[in-house]
Amino acid sequence: MNKSYEVYAQEVEPLSILSPEGKIINEEEMPNLSDDQLKELMRRMVFTRTWDERAVNLGRQGRLGFYAPVSGQEATMVGSEFALNKEDFVCPGYRDMPQIVWHGLPLYQAFLYSRGHQHGGQIPEGVNVLMPQIIIGAQILHATGVAMGFKKRNQKNVVITYTGDGGSSEGDFYEGLNFAGVFKLPAIYVVQNNGYAITTPFSKQTAAQSVAHKAVAAGIKGVQVDGMDVLAVYKAVQDAAERGRNGEGATLIESLTYRFRPHSMADDTTKYRTKEEEGEWSLKDPIIRFGKYLESKGLWSDEDTARVKDEAKASVAEHIKKAETTEKMTVAGLIDSMFEETPQHLQEQKADFS
Amino acid sequence: MAQMNMKEAIRDGMRVELKRDPNVLLFGEDVGKVGGVFRATEGLQNEFSEDRVFDTPLAESAIGGLAVGLAVQGFRPIAEIQFVGFIYEALDQMAVQAARLRYRSGGRYNAPITFRTPFGGGVKAAELHTDALEGLLVQTPGIKVVVPSNPYDAKGLMISAIRDNDPVFFMEHLNLYHAFRSEVPEGEYTVPIGKANVVKEGSDVTIITYGMMVHTSLKAAEEIEKTKGVKVEVIDLRTLMPLDIDTIVESIKKTNRAIVVQEAQKTSGVAAEVIAQINEKAILHLEAPVLRVAPPDTVYPFAQIEDAWLPNPARIIDGLNKVLDF
Ligand SMILES: Cc1ncc(C[n+]2csc(CCOP(=O)(O)OP(=O)(O)O)c2C)c(N)n1
């Protein structure tokens, strides 16, 4: 190969396995999944969509606090977590509640967290997750540390962490990737590029060819996937996990996706997105696309979708009730949770709140 | 005169200065096209072009450092940090780089930067969106800290902040953005940085406070005046650094008793500083120790129990009674 003094990166094309019509277009990348696993992937995506719809409604009724909608991103969220073992670790950003719930966090605790109740964050023993991070990018560094822990303990586990295209601009993001490269850590960094950071479009976020290219500077592997294709996401994460487990280091996965709803409960997408754009992306809806594939294999039907929706609604109803009937936090309890042993000045401050 | 809420007044202050001085620039996350997550900068990009009002990538340290570099180039940046909890990401650039630029350059460069940040509780926002972090910056030499409590002051202080040749941390209380409208003059006027405001005169006890707590304190004052027949003086500090200790001492000389109310956690904050300076300058005028009414030293408990945690009129009255009955 000719050498030149200019460093350059080539264009990439995202990995797709399913066409928008739900046909396999990339047979050699097809992951090895049983029929039951395929159906479970679909169940989880439909469940997540329904939960998202309910959560938005509960938010409007004032029964949930802060909530970041996820519809459109199910293939990335569900597919990536599905490629992990229970012992693997998940460090989520603020939109990534589905991944940690599917990794074992009870749903009612997700609701409690949203409502600002401390018990929401009391993750049960054996569930390897952190709570969603509000400071964008901070979780990238935690994941890097968790990965180093796995490596030092000779555990064949990986950690996965998520942020958005906006998050890939934070200093923390670069610092985390760089450490992962230097220490060759079993970490998977997923950037869900949904085109916007609140209102700022991707074109104003970076002039890099893609987010995946940022892996080059850190000396780790970088890949780009079609984030509306659950099989492609699953395959990319599975490959990355295998590399991590084999001591081959970290992977940055840029997942091209879209959120159908606003950034959070409070913004107005018409101010910064077009109807045409929304329409184009809706044609790539991960649930419709994967559903078509499963239907063609005789593994899924509308009745299955209806059944899972009912199941999800019932589950959300049960868990929100549990969240609403959980004993309220108190200021005194909060004070006692600050230190292992409450110092005298805090003991005194408690007197104001009894 | 126009009627404006505090958000509109802040926007108007920025507009006046963008218009007056071509070196004024405004930037941050989402401030451009849609005008910020609270629409505080709405319309300004349209009016002044993307050259002067622009969105940045999502990176607070870069926003802070960009402001420092632009200041070196003679610009007057207004840099928005979208929510207060994210200033930690920019703290090196604000508290070290901007605040020390004049010192490090032997006075060759200055940092006429206005860092704007929405903050403030009682609105059930998400984790880390509302904390009162003014104490962090007040303890940092070289940076001024401004917290307006009403539309008139907000516009006048904003204009002063932008014209100031030193870095100013300008904190906008979320609960006051839309709380009420009042008369705000059109065009230019300034409210001086470093000057407190006696918002209510009284003779028996002084409440020293700022931001949203001005309004909570006024409620408490009204109640205790009805039940106890005392006259309460209320001072709105408006600027936390530099502190207007003269106005405070004048008031103490008259009332001989005081409490300090703040929304930030109790220990080592602005209230502690106010009390220390009262001790230094007016101890012989005191008939009772000066007390603090503040939340406990815990993390800010977003949503669920913030109403119980934040100071309310009842707790302020409790504090007033303690110094009155001492
Ligand atoms: C350090 C920090 N800065 C700013 C914010 C405010 N904020 C919340 S979400 C967001 C945009 C995030 O965009 P992106 O990373 O693309 O994720 P998406 O919302 O698209 O999933 C911003 C600026 C924050 N939470 N943390």
Side-chain angles (χ1 to χ4, degrees), chain B residues 13 17 56 58 67 82-83 110 113 125 156 181 210 293-294 299-300 323:
Chain B
E17 288 305 286
T56 66
L58 207 179
Q82 195 163 65
F83 280 98
N110 52 35
I113 304 166
R181 286 172 183 278
Y210 53 97
V293 178
V299 295
Y300 188 101
V323 298

Side-chain angles (χ1 to χ4, degrees), chain B:
Chain B
M1 251 191 271
Q3 291 276 330
M4 289 185 198
N5 62 30
M6 198 172 90
K7 182 178 80 179
E8 291 159 353
I10 288 169
R11 184 196 298 144
D12 203 43
M14 291 189 279
R15 176 186 292 121
V16 165
E17 288 305 286
L18 278 159
K19 206 164 183 167
R20 195 182 65 87
D21 182 350
N23 287 315
V24 175
L25 301 175
L26 167 63
F27 52 84
E29 292 155 16
D30 304 288
V31 302
K33 192 167 178 182
V34 293
V37 289
F38 295 104
R39 311 277 182 266
T41 57
E42 192 166 31
L44 295 180
Q45 184 176 76
N46 246 347
E47 192 174 341
F48 297 101
S49 89
E50 213 181 317
D51 221 30
R52 301 196 47 214
V53 179
F54 54 94
D55 288 331
T56 66
L58 207 179
E60 291 75 17
S61 180
I63 292 169
L66 186 75
V68 172
L70 284 164
V72 169
Q73 285 277 24
F75 289 95
R76 308 186 81 81
I78 308 172
E80 177 178 302
I81 304 293
Q82 195 163 65
F83 280 98
V84 72
F86 318 146
I87 70 160
Y88 292 109
E89 297 278 305
L91 218 47
D92 175 59
Q93 294 300 333
M94 292 168 112
V96 183
Q97 310 306 334
R100 295 169 80 99
L101 188 63
R102 180 186 296 280
Y103 157 77
R104 298 192 76 229
S105 67
R108 167 70 179 81
Y109 296 120
N110 52 35
I113 304 166
T114 304
F115 293 107
R116 293 181 43 234
T117 311
F119 84 108
V123 292
K124 305 269 187 315
E127 195 183 351
L128 275 158
H129 285 57
T130 45
D131 305 40
L133 301 183
E134 61 276 12
L136 287 179
L137 285 140
V138 163
Q139 232 221 338
T140 300
I143 195 158
K144 297 178 179 175
V145 180
V146 169
V147 188
S149 70
N150 63 66
Y152 176 90
D153 285 355
K155 178 175 170 183
L157 283 164
M158 174 56 78
I159 295 174
S160 294
I162 297 169
R163 292 183 187 178
D164 201 293
N165 276 340
D166 291 308
V168 177
F169 184 53
F170 194 95
M171 300 178 72
E172 304 167 11
H173 202 289
L174 288 171
N175 222 345
L176 293 176
Y177 267 154
H178 305 117
F180 59 95
R181 286 172 183 278
S182 60
E183 302 238 305
V184 174
E186 264 148 57
E188 300 176 28
Y189 69 92
T190 56
V191 170
I193 289 177
K195 194 86 197 74
N197 185 23
V198 180
V199 290
K200 178 182 172 320
E201 299 212 17
S203 49
D204 301 315
V205 59
T206 305
I207 303 178
I208 302 151
T209 188
Y210 53 97
M212 181 67 203
M213 285 300 132
V214 171
H215 303 279
T216 314
S217 296
L218 284 168
K219 266 192 210 131
E222 203 178 301
E223 268 180 60
I224 201 171
E225 288 189 351
K226 268 190 230 144
T227 53
K228 213 167 172 142
V230 291
K231 290 271 165 269
V232 184
E233 180 143 307
V234 180
I235 297 179
D236 175 0
L237 290 174
R238 296 198 290 207
T239 301
L240 309 181
M241 172 60 69
L243 192 70
D244 180 5
I245 190 63
D246 293 348
T247 298
I248 296 169
V249 168
E250 276 315 301
S251 179
I252 301 274
K253 280 186 184 161
K254 187 166 60 165
T255 63
N256 312 115
R257 296 168 201 271
I259 63 169
V260 190
V261 182
Q262 73 177 18
E263 200 175 311
Q265 288 83 344
K266 190 168 192 175
T267 298
S268 301
V270 169
E273 176 59 26
V274 169
I275 294 170
Q277 292 202 31
I278 291 173
N279 280 338
E280 285 165 6
K281 305 220 162 138
I283 195 154
L284 294 178
H285 296 282
L286 289 176
E287 297 288 342
V290 184
L291 298 184
R292 286 173 287 186
V293 178
D297 297 336
T298 70
V299 295
Y300 188 101
F302 69 104
Q304 175 107 168
I305 54 166
E306 65 181 359
D307 292 340
W309 187 87
L310 288 165
N312 54 27
R315 275 174 55 209
I316 295 171
I317 288 172
D318 204 41
L320 289 170
N321 276 325
K322 279 192 186 129
V323 298
L324 285 164
D325 301 341
F326 180 76

Side-chain angles (χ1 to χ4, degrees), chain A residues 95-330:
Chain A
R95 201 182 294 285
D96 303 312
M97 202 54 105
Q99 295 94 307
I100 59 172
V101 166
W102 290 118
H103 210 62
L105 181 80
L107 188 55
Y108 85 95
Q109 286 191 271
F111 292 154
L112 280 175
Y113 169 78
S114 167
R115 293 155 61 93
H117 194 303
Q118 266 187 308
H119 177 58
Q122 285 171 323
I123 296 152
E125 207 55 52
V127 177
N128 286 337
V129 304
L130 289 180
M131 287 311 279
Q133 180 54 244
I134 294 294
I135 298 301
I136 291 175
Q139 72 275 20
I140 307 273
L141 303 172
H142 307 154
T144 305
V146 169
M148 185 181 273
F150 280 142
K151 185 166 172 164
K152 286 202 182 300
R153 298 195 191 288
N154 278 323
Q155 272 169 265
K156 294 257 171 263
N157 290 112
V158 297
V159 57
I160 195 165
T161 184
Y162 302 86
T163 191
D165 40 309
S168 75
S169 296
E170 288 280 6
D172 285 358
F173 176 82
Y174 297 97
E175 295 178 28
L177 261 57
N178 192 48
F179 271 45
V182 167
F183 296 110
K184 221 165 194 215
L185 301 178
I188 305 169
Y189 303 97
V190 178
V191 173
Q192 300 174 81
N193 182 350
N194 60 17
Y196 292 90
I198 308 194
T199 70
T200 305
F202 185 59
S203 60
K204 297 229 160 101
Q205 200 59 246
T206 178
Q209 272 180 307
S210 77
V211 172
H213 280 91
K214 297 187 180 190
V216 177
I220 66 173
K221 190 177 170 97
V223 301
Q224 195 183 57
V225 294
D226 177 342
M228 307 297 262
D229 176 351
V230 70
L231 294 177
V233 173
Y234 178 87
K235 178 64 165 57
V237 175
Q238 195 187 38
D239 286 353
E242 198 177 301
R243 295 183 61 251
R245 293 185 214 289
N246 292 338
E248 292 166 61
T251 307
L252 169 64
I253 300 174
E254 179 186 14
S255 179
L256 302 175
T257 182
Y258 202 74
R259 58 174 160 78
F260 293 146
R261 291 178 184 277
H263 159 74
S264 68
M265 307 291 288
D267 85 333
D268 173 6
T269 52
T270 62
K271 292 233 157 86
Y272 57 95
R273 301 201 311 207
T274 62
K275 277 266 158 294
E276 295 75 66
E277 180 187 285
E278 288 176 358
E280 264 168 47
W281 277 98
S282 71
L283 298 177
K284 298 185 189 166
D285 189 322
I287 293 180
I288 296 175
R289 182 172 181 179
F290 190 53
K292 282 184 186 160
Y293 168 68
L294 291 188
E295 276 168 33
S296 73
K297 288 183 56 130
L299 293 176
W300 200 262
S301 66
D302 290 349
E303 288 80 72
D304 291 312
T305 300
R307 176 180 48 77
V308 176
K309 277 189 180 168
D310 287 345
E311 179 205 334
K313 280 184 201 157
S315 177
V316 169
E318 177 196 325
H319 285 274
I320 190 74
K321 189 160 168 217
K322 189 159 175 193
E324 284 172 341
T325 52
T326 298
E327 198 177 334
K328 275 214 152 172
M329 265 175 89
T330 61

